[in-house]
Each structure stands twice: as structure tokens, then as C-alpha cells.
């Protein structure tokens, strides 16, 4: 018998997602409805009702192949933001668009610039595809230090420069002026990829308006967050320069958007009411949890988040993030352990902003750890 021997083609970092409520409920014997799920930055009010109705209606068509370019969805997205469908490419979540951007715009071994820390998938996909991630540091309380970023950009001439606005994991925002400075400093063969996954929660959306001025700018968006459709998997890239979109369409998996994603995406993208509701809750609860945390000793909320999550710094030297993470889990509170986010580390946890009952559960559980 011939023995097979497989060498791993790809080694290294694997993405660590937030835990599911079902897993924690089963492991700790906690009723599902008493779990505060604060590790995946999901919508506090669930799915867009309009998207949900459209998905149910479209379920009868799943025997048919979808349009391979998701044209109707591209039309809906283009119409919303004032562009042609040819200026839009859709992905099974924004993460798929990120992976396509890395493959289409950087060759093997070419540099891809990102902040440290950053959304791990920029780095993971770059490494998996043999592209070379290059990092620009963040400063005190994760200040994006755009002067430094531009300096690094000029030194390494990246093929792609990712800017996350607001930043994940800190929630810090890059100003419009600074995004413009990055676009203007980028050479003609650097693609600026502005990731606006959480932009609604900043109440200051400007990326789309910059597009017509910058032929090397692409804005990346998702319906997973403010639209409440993380489980549907709909994301997109949009650029005023359709030459940026064409290669993405060429390399994308052919039928990457199914009938349900297309139908739910078309209905969801127009559900402004749902977005407004989520933003209102997140803005109010961000202030609420900041206030509540100010009286819990041993921890500090890192200031400046404009997203639906924030970083919690652990001040007590006898605690680290994994210990706090596990203690919170036992109390039915799921957050993200900073040790699982390279560049962040064991003094931090990332915590979602969600409904008041979940924020209260989180703060109470944290206060118990302090005295334990
Ligand atoms: C910064 C950032 N970009 C993109 C995404 C991808 O979202 P999705 O693939 O669900 O559309 C996420 C998800 O966590 C994110 O944090």
C-alpha cells in the first residue's frame, strides 16, 4: 500500500473567533438566555427584519443557480451610494473581499501594510497567500499615528495599505483629514483599502464620499454589523475606479453569493431603520458602560472607541486577560481574550457594546472577579 505523506502547505496563525452562546451554555450549565455574548461585535437587535423576510421569500428559489456576479445586489448597493454596479464587487462576507483584494493586488512576497494590532485576517490571509505583512505601530491607547503610518508606507512601498475605520480592536477613529493624507501619500501602485466594517457606529461616514477623488481607493463594507446579518455573509468592495473592481470579479469564486445572500442583501442594505436603531443603542450603551466601569477598580476602559466594542485594560498585576476571560465565561459573559489577538496581548480584553442587560451582567461579573 502506498503511504500518503502530506506536508502542510500553510502553517501558523489561525483566526480565533468569539465563542458561541451554545458552547458556553453547555460547558458551564448556564441557561442560554442568561448569556451575554460580547465577543463577536454582532447587532444588539438581531437581523434586519426586511432582510429576514426577503430571505424567507427567496428560500423557494434555492434550486436555481444565482447570478454569478450578484448583479441585482450590486445594483442595489451602487444605487444606495451613487455608483454604477460595475463599481461594486460582492463577497461572502467582507472577509472574502479582503482575501480577494490581497490576491488581486499584491504578488507573492510583496508587502501589505496594516496597523499593529489589526483585524487578524489582513495578516492571516497575507501570510497564507505568501504576501508579506508589514506593520505600522499604534501609539498610546492605540492612537493610529498616521504620520508614522505614512512614513512606513513611503519606506516599504506596499501594494496594499489597509486602514480600518474605526479600528479593530480599539474602536479608535482615523479622521477624514488623515485618511485623505494616506490616499495622497500612496503611490500610484498602492491600493488604499479602507475597511469601514463598523463605520455606522462612528456616526461619521465619509469613505464613500472620498472615492471619486482617489483612483487607488477601495472602500470595504459588511452587512454583518449594523445591518445584523453576520450569519448571512454579505460584504462588498466599492471603488469609483472600476478598474479596481474588475480583477476582483475575475478571481472571485464563481457563485460566491447564493440566492439567500443576494435577496437578504438587497433588502438589508435599504433597512435604514434597523441601522438607526442599532446605532442609537450602541451610542447610548457605550456611554453607559463607560460610566459604570469608572467605578470598578482594577480595570480601565481604553478611551476613544467609536465602534460597537471597546478595549478593557487590566490594571491589577495579579490578573491577566485569559484569567479574566475564563472568570467571565463562568459567569455567562463571553468577551474576546487579548492574548488571542496578536499585537494586543494579555493586558487587554475586547468587549462588545450591546443591550443594557448585557452591559450590566458584564460589569457585575467583572466586579466579582476583582474581589475574588
Ligand atoms: C475590521 C473588520 N473588517 C471586516 C470584518 C468582516 O466581516 P464579515 O466577513 O462578517 O463581513 C470584520 C469582522 O469581524 C472586522 O472586524
Amino acid at each position: 500500500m502506498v503511504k500518503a505523506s502530506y506536508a502542510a502547505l500553510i502553517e501558523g496563525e489561525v483566526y480565533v473567533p468569539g465563542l458561541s452562546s451554545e458552547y458556553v451554555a453547555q460547558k458551564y450549565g448556564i441557561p442560554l438566555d442568561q448569556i451575554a455574548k460580547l465577543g463577536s461585535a454582532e447587532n444588539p437587535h438581531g437581523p434586519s427584519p426586511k432582510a429576514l423576510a426577503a430571505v424567507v421569500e427567496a428560500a423557494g428559489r434555492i434550486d436555481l443557480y444565482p447570478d454569478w456576479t450578484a448583479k441585482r445586489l450590486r445594483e442595489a448597493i451602487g444605487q444606495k451610494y451613487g455608483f454604477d454596479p460595475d463599481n461594486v464587487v460582492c463577497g461572502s462576507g467582507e472577509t472574502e473581499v479582503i482575501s480577494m483584494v490581497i490576491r488581486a493586488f499584491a504578488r507573492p512576497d510583496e508587502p501589505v501594510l496594516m496597523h499593529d494590532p489589526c483585524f487578524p485576517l489582513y495578516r492571516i490571509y497575507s501570510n497564507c497567500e505568501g504576501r508579506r505583512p508589514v506593520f505600522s505601530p499604534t501609539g498610546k491607547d492605540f492612537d493610529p499615528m498616521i504620520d508614522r503610518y505614512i512614513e512606513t508606507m513611503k519606506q516599504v512601498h506596499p501594494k496594499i495599505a489597509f486602514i480600518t475605520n474605526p479600528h479593530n480592536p480599539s474602536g479608535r477613529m482615523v479622521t477624514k483629514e488623515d485618511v485623505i493624507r494616506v490616499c495622497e501619500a500612496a503611490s500610484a501602485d498602492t491600493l488604499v483599502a479602507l475597511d469601514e466594517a463598523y463605520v455606522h457606529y462612528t456616526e461619521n461616514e465619509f469613505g464613500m464620499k472620498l472615492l471619486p477623488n482617489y483612483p487607488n481607493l477601495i472602500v470595504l463594507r459588511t452587512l454583518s454589523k449594523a445591518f445584523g446579518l453576520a450569519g448571512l455573509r454579505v460584504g462588498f468592495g466599492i471603488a469609483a475606479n472600476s478598474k479596481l473592481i474588475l480583477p476582483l470579479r475575475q478571481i472571485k469564486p464563481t457563485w460566491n453569493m447564493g440566492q439567500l445572500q443576494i435577496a437578504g442583501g438587497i433588502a438589508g442594505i435599504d433597512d435604514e431603520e434597523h441601522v438607526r436603531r442599532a446605532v442609537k443603542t450602541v451610542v447610548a450603551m457605550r456611554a453607559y458602560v463607560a460610566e459604570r466601569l469608572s467605578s470598578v477598580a482594577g480595570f480601565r476602559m481604553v478611551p476613544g472607541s467609536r465602534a460597537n466594542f471597546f478595549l478593557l485594560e487590566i490594571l491589577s498585576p495579579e490578573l491577566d486577560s485569559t484569567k479574566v476571560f475564563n472568570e467571565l465565561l463562568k459567569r455567562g459573559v463571553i468577551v474576546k481574550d487579548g492574548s488571542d489577538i496578536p499585537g494586543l496581548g494579555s493586558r487587554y480584553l475586547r468587549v462588545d457594546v450591546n443591550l443594557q442587560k448585557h452591559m450590566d451582567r458584564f460589569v457585575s461579573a467583572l466586579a466579582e472577579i476583582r474581589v475574588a
Side-chain angles (χ1 to χ4, degrees), residues 68-71 73-75 77-78 83-94 96-98 100-101 104-105 218-223 234-239 241-242 244-254 256-257:
W68 78 275
T69 72
K71 180 144 191 264
L73 178 55
R74 290 188 295 113
E75 280 168 354
I77 293 167
F83 293 94
D84 234 46
D86 285 348
N87 298 91
V88 182
V89 67
C90 296
S92 179
E94 189 194 315
E96 187 178 53
V97 185
I98 293 169
M100 293 173 345
V101 162
F105 290 95
I218 185 167
V219 170
L220 309 178
R221 290 271 189 113
T222 176
L223 272 67
V234 183
F236 61 93
I238 187 162
N241 178 4
S242 58
L244 300 183
I245 298 298
L246 202 59
L248 298 173
R249 192 171 316 154
Q250 281 167 330
I251 62 159
K252 83 177 183 64
T254 309
N256 63 330
M257 305 298 291

Side-chain angles (χ1 to χ4, degrees), residues 73-335:
L73 178 55
R74 290 188 295 113
E75 280 168 354
I77 293 167
Q79 195 171 12
K80 183 172 174 85
Y81 299 108
F83 293 94
D84 234 46
D86 285 348
N87 298 91
V88 182
V89 67
C90 296
S92 179
E94 189 194 315
T95 39
E96 187 178 53
V97 185
I98 293 169
S99 77
M100 293 173 345
V101 162
I102 289 168
R103 278 188 290 136
F105 290 95
R107 290 190 190 87
D109 227 24
E110 287 184 331
V112 178
L113 180 61
M114 58 200 77
H115 272 110
D116 183 35
C118 64
F119 180 45
L121 290 175
Y122 308 149
R123 181 183 52 246
I124 293 175
Y125 288 147
S126 295
N127 280 327
C128 286
E129 301 288 349
R131 279 62 172 170
R132 185 157 47 87
V134 177
F135 302 97
S136 185
T138 48
K140 183 172 166 18
D141 287 339
F142 304 90
D143 176 346
M145 298 206 298
I146 293 298
D147 285 342
R148 182 73 182 271
Y149 188 91
I150 290 174
E151 224 174 87
T152 315
M153 200 165 76
K154 288 184 172 160
Q155 278 163 9
V156 303
H157 300 294
K159 287 295 163 158
I160 306 161
F162 280 105
I163 295 280
T164 325
N165 209 19
H167 177 242
N168 179 4
S170 71
R172 294 271 310 236
M173 214 181 146
V174 182
T175 64
K176 182 175 174 186
E177 292 65 36
D178 279 346
V179 174
I180 289 175
R181 286 204 299 134
V182 170
C183 292
E184 295 197 338
S187 54
D189 63 348
T190 295
L191 175 80
V192 177
L194 180 62
D195 182 343
E196 292 193 327
Y198 303 96
V199 73
H200 299 89
Y201 299 116
T202 68
E203 299 181 285
N204 184 11
E205 293 179 48
F206 56 76
M208 299 289 183
K209 294 184 198 118
L210 299 183
L211 285 173
N213 299 335
Y214 299 102
N216 55 348
L217 174 65
I218 185 167
V219 170
L220 309 178
R221 290 271 189 113
T222 176
L223 272 67
S224 296
K225 309 297 175 183
F227 299 90
L229 302 174
L232 190 62
R233 312 306 301 136
V234 183
F236 61 93
I238 187 162
N241 178 4
S242 58
K243 286 194 189 132
L244 300 183
I245 298 298
L246 202 59
L248 298 173
R249 192 171 316 154
Q250 281 167 330
I251 62 159
K252 83 177 183 64
T254 309
W255 291 282
N256 63 330
M257 305 298 291
Q259 297 280 15
L260 306 187
Q261 289 157 293
I262 293 171
I266 292 169
I269 195 83
D270 272 331
D271 198 344
E272 281 301 331
E273 198 185 323
H274 195 66
V275 170
R276 266 199 299 277
R277 191 165 169 233
V279 171
K280 193 169 168 211
T281 299
V282 165
V283 170
M285 287 301 111
R286 220 163 42 200
Y288 173 80
V289 73
E291 172 64 28
R292 287 219 54 196
L293 281 172
S294 64
S295 59
V296 180
F299 300 96
R300 181 181 82 108
M301 182 179 185
V302 174
S305 172
R306 300 284 295 276
N308 57 336
F309 50 78
F310 59 88
L311 287 177
L312 185 76
E313 186 180 2
I314 301 163
L315 303 175
S316 318
E318 66 274 18
L319 291 174
D320 65 23
S321 62
T322 304
K323 173 136 190 358
V324 177
F325 173 80
N326 285 323
E327 289 297 320
L328 287 172
L329 273 191
K330 281 187 212 161
R331 294 164 173 84
V333 178
I334 305 169
V335 298

